[in-house]
Amino acid sequence: MIDREPGAWLWLKDHLARLRQATVPGRAPSSAEPAVVVRTAVVTDSAAALPADWVRGISLDGRLAVVPMPVMVGEEIYGEGEDDIAETIAVALAAATPVKTSRPSPGQFEQAYQAAAARGYESVVSIHISGDLSGTADAARIASARVGIPVEVLDSRTVGMAQGLAVQSAVVAAADGRNAEEVRKFAEERLAKTKVYFYVPSLEQLRRGGRIGAAASLVGTVFSIKPILAVDGGKIVPLEKIRSAAKAVARLEELAAADAAGRPPGEARLAIHHFGNQSEAELLAARLAAALPDIPPAQISALPAVLAAHAGLGVLAVIVSESTVCGAGVLSPAPEAEP
């Protein structure tokens, strides 16, 4: 997202560089800008779909950790980010090989929280996939009781880059020196402004994973319904039933464009997910860019493995949100820490 929200992310990149310089032994802090004490680390899971290069740049000093969610293909278990499993999942889905997912263990979160404490962070904000879709937030809560620093666990009630945008907003607030309560609030404000719309060619994989009812899957199979779905209140809900794939994608575009156009001028931001159909996602992004010339181009990324395993091949998702930037600045000044 660095190139999509330059006001926030260029500030963050420069700000983190200054913070790192301030911690180099023997280097005096700049007199022009007092060093900000970063008190809060951010932890999330791989369902947030954060761009790998962004994560690498932010997580160097432990301020962000992404806990991988396991995916089982047949009898083999893979970890998001640890293995290149996109092709494996695609082949498995095409061959009707069982693909299942699970939550990370509490021990994995405990390790992430302990690592943050060891680096000197005073608290953690842990942001996770909707609790109605996964038990990940529950695992995080179990782990939070085992560590010596306070951990705020936030169920994002959403998935993908809708969750990821909240994580990015939390990182901005943490880098600005905010405490855990303020970091959590900033993430919650972003979540409240974010919507997820998506289309799947078949509901079968969602049915197998228990994410929708069997009746909904049967209707889609028998009558060739191509549903437009959304994530609302943490659950996957139907929006519209369309008769053809082409009409479904066109309607997805209409819904996303109308939502984005209704946001405050210059504030709307878009992200697009796909799995096995990148060219289709790029065409959708191009059409949205033409329809919304005042909005930065959509970020395009493949669904993370843990979501692709449930959505299946051919999914298209559009996330509509608003910029992290508020007016001319990123955040109002954080209050100075008391001595």
Side-chain angles (χ1 to χ4, degrees), residues 77-93:
I77 298 178
Y78 300 84
E80 185 88 54
E82 299 173 349
D83 311 282
D84 183 12
I85 61 174
E87 185 175 347
T88 300
I89 291 177
V91 171
L93 291 174

Side-chain angles (χ1 to χ4, degrees), residues 123-143:
S123 59
V124 174
V125 173
S126 204
I127 304 170
H128 300 294
I129 181 176
S130 170
D132 284 309
L133 303 177
S134 170
T136 299
D138 288 336
R141 291 187 186 99
I142 293 170

Side-chain angles (χ1 to χ4, degrees), residues 285-298:
R287 292 194 299 271
L288 285 170
L292 303 163
D294 296 330
I295 295 175

